[in-house]
Amino acid sequence: MSHSQDMLRTNTAFLQFVEQLFEDKQAGNAIQLKSFAAGAYLIRQGSIISQVYIIREGITKCYIAEDNGKDYIFEFLGTGEITGELEAINKGACLSNITALTPVTVFTIPHDRFMALLRSYPEFNELLLKVLAARIYQTCIRTSYQQLYPVEYALLRLLSLEASQQTFFAKKDMAAYLGISVRSFNRTLKELREKNILDKEGLNIDLSKEQLEQMIKRFEDA
Amino acid sequence: MSHSQDMLRTNTAFLQFVEQLFEDKQAGNAIQLKSFAAGAYLIRQGSIISQVYIIREGITKCYIAEDNGKDYIFEFLGTGEITGELEAINKGACLSNITALTPVTVFTIPHDRFMALLRSYPEFNELLLKVLAARIYQTCIRTSYQQLYPVEYALLRLLSLEASQQTFFAKKDMAAYLGISVRSFNRTLKELREKNILDKEGLNIDLSKEQLEQMIKRFEDA
DNA sequence: CTGGGAGTGGGACAAATGTCCCGTTTTATT
DNA sequence: AATAAAACGGGACATTTGTCCCACTCCCAG
């Protein structure tokens, strides 16, 4: 099991399993499909929900909105990712907002049914354990990195992730993912351009110079 | 299930369950006790381990050491908390260092046995799910808070947590928990003293003025 | 008792980041 | 095509945080 860093998380194994359940007349009878337009809320922070959602199609962002008007994006969830599971397990109000960045289709499973499925399908239970473990793992790594390195590093890393996944987000969202202002994001980006990045060797970024150059260019052309 | 913010995490339900397993001749035969002196490593970041640890007694800190020499502390784990479980679930190298802040005693369970226990005891499995969910929950809240508010707020919150738990950590550790330098920690503390804190109403800190004053005093006396 | 090492407290300055603001560009809607 | 709304880019300045450094205390091993 690799722990590759992903900005956009996906999980094909999980999706497959849920697809199968959905097809199954018995097990799938409480599972439903639901669609959201780009920009719509799947979940509102602080609300009470009674289903979990598994993304079948599309991309969502998962973020906390603080009282001071700022947002912090934890992750971008794509195909096969589950959300609302914390609330199913711990019975609390929703931790974060989930909104659709693209048109999104999800499977919904009621909480009690979800918990029952975990009990009856050890394989499903194990998939969930892995999802949770992976999230903790990633969150820890990211948080540490963002707290202890200058923004410049986090930004480079972010660009490389974005490039390697060929997905592109709005600056506002990238800034919120880094926990900084858009202004800082722009400024740092500009500095990277000027410094010509290439000499930045010491970074443990798993992306070729070419790809990185391409990423920076994305912000350069007039 | 409450989501109270804890700096020092504990879990009596989990501990009880493991204690019972330990007593049980059958189930407990692979569970062992192990002790560590204050300052010792239970787990080294990047190493490979083959057991999970459940803390029976004592306090540990769980942190990532970055290449640039800085540490980021995720959590302080106390009685009943498990660690090494991510590695059991995902089979990877250790995410973080775990060191003993006080003398520590743990139960150790080999990975394969641990995974088997999860399968044979649904109750145990559920306890673990709750632990993981709670960690994600807490981590998200904390990260967001620390990224989006000035250090002053995070520090106040931290002091209140510390006071409410009656546990006291070294400044170095508190700074590492906040992801800032000791210098910044001191400076902010000083500013709080000067500002007399009390007028700081807008904070959602669940601690009385008296307690907070007491906390600040702790750093004041000469 | 004593010298070294760790922890503490803070001054001075440098670097990073945020806030406010405004002009431009892009995108969506009518 | 015309216009409004949102996103972009960056200047100027304020604030926050880090780095470097030094002096002081405390504690313990020799």
Side-chain angles (χ1 to χ4, degrees), chain A residues 178-190:
Chain A
L178 292 173
I180 62 177
S181 66
V182 175
R183 183 69 189 88
S184 297
F185 185 93
N186 275 325
R187 178 165 29 215
T188 309
L189 201 52
K190 193 184 162 206

Side-chain angles (χ1 to χ4, degrees), chain A residues 54-55 79 84 179 198 212 218 220:
Chain A
I54 293 93
I55 299 174
T79 311
L198 314 175
L212 257 180
R218 203 164 80 71
E220 273 179 336

Side-chain angles (χ1 to χ4, degrees), chain A residues 158 162 169-178 185 218-219:
Chain A
L158 179 60
E162 205 189 20
F169 301 101
K171 288 211 167 169
K172 175 182 58 164
D173 286 339
M174 294 210 276
Y177 186 81
L178 292 173
F185 185 93
R218 203 164 80 71
F219 296 103

Side-chain angles (χ1 to χ4, degrees), chain B residues 8-20:
Chain B
L8 203 203
R9 229 159 274 178
T10 59
N11 191 331
T12 49
F14 205 83
L15 181 65
Q16 275 177 14
F17 195 92
V18 176
E19 294 268 18
Q20 276 177 23

Side-chain angles (χ1 to χ4, degrees), chain A residues 68-101:
Chain A
N68 61 7
K70 298 177 180 177
D71 293 344
Y72 185 72
I73 297 180
F74 295 111
E75 45 200 6
F76 296 95
L77 301 179
T79 311
E81 287 294 316
I82 183 172
T83 184
E85 80 290 354
L86 296 190
E87 292 74 13
I89 293 170
N90 275 334
K91 318 267 191 288
C94 294
L95 168 64
S96 64
N97 294 294
I98 315 279
T99 61
L101 290 181

Side-chain angles (χ1 to χ4, degrees), chain B residues 147-206:
Chain B
Q147 291 267 354
L148 301 186
Y149 284 93
V151 171
E152 179 169 321
Y153 287 72
L155 176 52
L156 268 178
R157 167 183 275 214
L158 179 59
L159 290 179
S160 85
L161 292 177
E162 206 188 19
S164 68
Q165 294 185 162
Q166 292 292 101
T167 26
F168 303 109
F169 302 100
K171 289 211 166 168
K172 174 181 60 165
D173 286 339
M174 295 210 276
Y177 186 80
L178 292 173
I180 61 177
S181 65
V182 175
R183 182 69 190 92
S184 297
F185 185 92
N186 276 325
R187 179 166 27 216
T188 309
L189 201 52
K190 192 184 163 207
E191 282 160 9
L192 285 180
R193 277 189 231 122
E194 284 161 4
K195 286 201 219 159
N196 211 5
I197 315 99
L198 315 175
D199 29 349
K200 289 257 148 227
E201 283 309 334
L203 297 164
N204 48 350
I205 285 189
D206 49 343

